[in-house]
Amino acid sequence: MNSKDGIIGLIIGDALGVPVEFKSRKELEKNPIEKMIGYGTYNKAPGTFSDDSSLTLATIDSIIKHPEIDYEDMMTKFSNWYHNGDYTSDGETFDVGHTTVLAISRYDDGVNPLKCGGGYEHDNGNGSLMRILPVAYLINERMSSEDVELIYNVSGLTHNHKRSKIACHLYCQIAVKLLNNDISLRDSINQSIDDILKYYKDDKEFDMERGRFERIFSREIFNLDINDIKSSGYVIDTLEAVLWTLVNTNSYRETLLKSVNLGSDTDTVGAICGGLAGIYYGYDSIPEEWLNTLARKEDILNLLDNFDKIINKE
Ligand SMILES: [Mg+2]
């Protein structure tokens, strides 16, 4: 496995979306993103990535140093991102999510890392979904309950509500299918939904959340009109936007531009979409001019070489 497909795919999506985060779809229809631009929302140079990528890289760095998984270490790295600018493009932390900051503050105050994440209904932003992809490289296609527990724990460091955890589970399941099989994006999503519904068949807590995922589980999502797709920072809106975009596009470039131009939470929708699109279409499908603009590209590729040694058990 070559993690740069998915991880660079994710970081590029983040960087494409950063300059237009919070812009409405209407604004982007008039003036769409067609290449890697800079400045805009955060006044950052082209190729600057945000929290989505930084926390993904922090997770990867922690797994490299502790392949057995050390949640203390993972949270320490998240805290160092927030306070010291570790894993950022230019040393400056920006675009910080509310639920994530509260969890880091609890950790800084000495709370057990697995008890830091927000567990209320309003804690269901996309802040764990945006950084969960590294976990998919550690688990088997036939997901065991230990694998799901790992996904839950990594999500729960910041986002501990069942809804966020199910979203992370489905996302990782799709990623794992794509990593292990030569199948289409649509088939990987379809099969993953089947697997998820089977996995939770006797789970009462899941039953309470099931309705929130109904447009996904019923596959209605594949055929919705763009006007029915929100792309906000709410985890369900984000996941719907990602799945809808993936099945309605035919290349890495098209997928990423379509996802970012949905507007609203552009960088995170771009990142989460870019992770799966990167795995499916491959690193070589990422436009070279986007790669050449990416901040700290060589540092990231070096980190991913080390990550590959862990996931391939070299
Ligand atoms: Mg961001």
Side-chain angles (χ1 to χ4, degrees):
M1 273 189 288
N2 209 329
S3 65
K4 71 181 179 181
D5 297 332
I7 304 298
I8 298 283
L10 179 152
I11 298 173
I12 290 279
D14 179 10
L16 276 173
V18 161
V20 290
E21 188 176 358
F22 311 124
K23 278 221 189 291
S24 70
R25 194 171 302 167
K26 266 215 161 71
E27 284 175 278
L28 287 168
E29 272 164 14
K30 274 186 244 145
N31 204 355
I33 287 286
E34 285 163 343
K35 57 181 186 187
M36 194 75 90
I37 63 165
Y39 311 102
T41 307
Y42 296 98
N43 200 27
K44 291 283 187 185
T48 301
F49 53 81
S50 70
D51 56 337
D52 316 68
S53 304
S54 295
L55 290 171
T56 298
L57 294 171
T59 303
I60 288 172
D61 193 27
S62 181
I63 295 169
I64 291 169
K65 298 200 168 92
H66 298 276
E68 78 288 1
I69 306 300
D70 181 336
Y71 298 112
E72 288 270 348
D73 180 75
M74 216 173 261
M75 271 307 253
T76 300
K77 287 178 166 48
F78 292 179
S79 179
N80 289 340
W81 158 75
Y82 178 57
H83 295 292
N84 308 330
D86 287 7
Y87 311 104
T88 59
S89 299
D90 57 5
E92 196 179 69
T93 305
F94 71 102
D95 194 21
V96 178
H98 185 66
T99 299
T100 298
V101 169
L102 285 179
I104 290 171
S105 304
R106 289 185 200 108
Y107 179 68
D108 292 340
D109 288 341
V111 175
N112 177 319
L114 295 175
K115 302 236 179 312
C116 288
Y120 291 106
E121 170 118 28
H122 64 255
D123 289 315
N124 283 308
N126 52 23
S128 64
L129 187 60
M130 72 183 192
R131 59 168 177 80
I132 201 70
L133 186 58
V135 177
Y137 289 94
L138 303 178
I139 56 193
N140 298 315
E141 188 188 351
R142 200 178 291 259
M143 230 184 256
S144 67
S145 53
E146 288 81 25
D147 291 329
V148 177
E149 193 186 339
L150 174 64
I151 295 167
Y152 272 35
N153 285 344
V154 174
S155 171
L157 295 174
T158 56
H159 292 66
N160 205 22
H161 191 277
K162 184 85 173 181
R163 196 173 308 160
S164 287
K165 292 168 166 177
I166 296 168
C168 288
H169 182 180
L170 176 60
Y171 185 74
C172 285
Q173 180 73 73
I174 298 166
V176 168
K177 289 244 179 250
L178 291 171
L179 287 168
N180 290 287
N181 300 283
D182 193 11
I183 52 171
S184 70
L185 284 160
R186 184 182 286 256
D187 285 348
S188 71
I189 297 167
N190 258 323
Q191 291 177 18
S192 297
I193 293 169
D194 288 341
D195 290 354
I196 289 271
L197 293 176
K198 206 185 283 171
Y199 183 84
Y200 289 108
K201 70 178 184 340
D202 298 316
D203 186 326
K204 294 228 158 38
E205 225 190 320
F206 174 83
D207 291 342
M208 287 166 58
E209 290 299 321
R210 189 185 169 129
R212 309 280 175 175
F213 292 85
E214 200 43 47
R215 301 205 307 179
I216 295 172
F217 292 158
S218 68
R219 279 80 166 175
E220 186 189 351
I221 187 72
F222 295 157
N223 303 315
L224 290 175
D225 184 83
I226 189 169
N227 295 317
D228 295 320
I229 300 297
K230 292 181 197 158
S231 42
S232 82
Y234 171 46
V235 70
I236 299 289
D237 288 350
T238 300
L239 189 59
E240 287 190 348
V242 166
L243 300 181
W244 179 84
T245 306
L246 287 168
V247 298
N248 286 295
T249 45
N250 291 301
S251 69
Y252 179 84
R253 177 195 282 269
E254 190 196 354
T255 306
L256 274 280
L257 294 181
K258 195 167 194 127
S259 66
V260 167
N261 286 318
L262 288 173
S264 188
D265 201 354
T266 51
D267 60 320
T268 303
V269 174
I272 297 171
C273 222
L276 295 180
I279 293 173
Y280 181 69
Y281 295 108
Y283 183 80
D284 293 339
S285 71
I286 302 175
E288 220 170 295
E289 62 271 25
W290 296 0
L291 282 172
N292 291 337
T293 320
L294 185 63
R296 300 189 60 193
K297 186 179 111 186
E298 292 310 316
D299 289 343
I300 297 169
L301 287 174
N302 284 336
L303 184 78
L304 297 181
D305 276 345
N306 289 326
F307 186 51
D308 285 351
K309 290 183 190 135
I310 303 286
I311 61 179
N312 295 315
K313 301 193 168 68
E314 283 170 16

